[in-house]
Amino acid sequence: MIDPEEYGFSTRAIRAGHLRTDEGEHGEPIFPTSSYVFDSAEQAAARFSGDEPGNIYSRFTNPTVRTFEQRLAALEGGERCVATSSGMAAILSTCMGLLKAGDHVVVSRSVFGTTVVLFNQFMAKFGIEVTFVSLTELAEWEQAMRPNTRLLFLETPANPLTQVGDISALAALAHQNGALLAVDNVFCTPALQQPLALGADIVIHSATKYLDGQGRAMGGAVVGSEEVVGNDVYSFLRTAGPSMSPFNAWIFLKGLETLKLRMDAHTKNATLLAQWLEQQPGVSVVHYPGLESHVQHELASTQQSGAGGILSFELEGGQEAAWGLINATKMVSITANLGDTKTTITHPATTTHGRLTPEEKQQAGIGGGLVRVAVGLEDIEDLKQDLVRGL
Ligand SMILES: Cc1ncc(COP(=O)(O)O)c(C=O)c1O
């Protein structure tokens, strides 16, 4: 196995974490086994007590999943990664592992709709107090801090308006108050942004998105230090079992091998499409951090090495115009997923953010005329052709 510290990003993405077996296989093997056989009763006891490292049961120890965990940790610059069955399972495991009744969390209002529901409906039910604030207003975060604030949670760039949060400033605020900062890095992936290097304590992934990259499998991950992720987050996963399957881990390993190439290509296509959309009649605003017109273009340029593949835009004609545009497409896929080689289009107000109340939608800036495009890797002229019909 290579020592990740000695190698660059692309090499780590291709080779980190693979401990070759005695078969000498070149590709990473899949271990489809639920349990493992011990040499003796003594060894079984030592494994279960933790005195001897090694595999026990695939809910929490599987070599293919471990290879994925070590590779992603090497890419994010974290000591430890815990792989989960989905991105939401990663957020849930973080909360269940690190929070207790009476704790307070501060969450960006601009997070994925289901994340809002998780905090509002479920974490609240277990006595965890939640305050939602504007991702971009540092003063709101400062005012929200309380003595019992344990976690700050954000996505940057945020879904679907691509607002950018200042990771270093929010990490400093969290640490001054004895809290942790968790960053959902789904939109950028470590190929474009490494939150731990900017001071964050925890990185969350929906591997379902760009880590896979071809829309095939569900998965997630939590990355951070051994202390934060390796104890209580791992312990929750081991106990409750929202674990990644070894088959999915193998798919994500293959995805990671081309991550950098794909993220650069997504960024190139999205930049061209965003610039073109800005010129189109009926489009009132285009949200994309790579555009100079984006309010936080400068901040995005300092903490990201590329703007990524997601953009959204607002149509003057409201929901009717947005649905008209979506229905006029012939090639791009009408689906809420993102992070695929295939371009996808969605209407956030009635899909990903449909469960928010009208007030929450208004506060989050999700209007009826908003359309989100997760720009894939098709020919850019074909993408323009497909959208211009509905414009
Ligand atoms: C930014 C972000 N975080 C988390 C999730 C949840 O991931 P999953 O669908 O894998 O549970 C999503 C899903 O769309 C997402 O877009």
Side-chain angles (χ1 to χ4, degrees), residues 193-213:
Q193 172 174 272
Q194 291 162 18
L196 300 178
L198 296 166
D201 303 283
I202 299 159
V203 171
I204 302 281
H205 273 288
S206 165
T208 320
K209 307 297 184 307
Y210 289 108
L211 302 191
D212 170 2

Side-chain angles (χ1 to χ4, degrees), residues 85-91 111-115 153 155 157-159 184-187 204-209 217-220 336-338 352 372:
S85 55
S86 69
M88 290 317 300
I91 302 173
V111 291
F112 177 50
T114 310
T115 307
F153 187 99
E155 266 170 43
N159 185 20
D184 180 327
N185 202 23
V186 164
F187 272 32
I204 302 281
H205 273 288
S206 165
T208 320
K209 307 297 184 307
M218 300 292 301
N337 198 28
L338 59 92
T352 50
R372 187 195 75 193

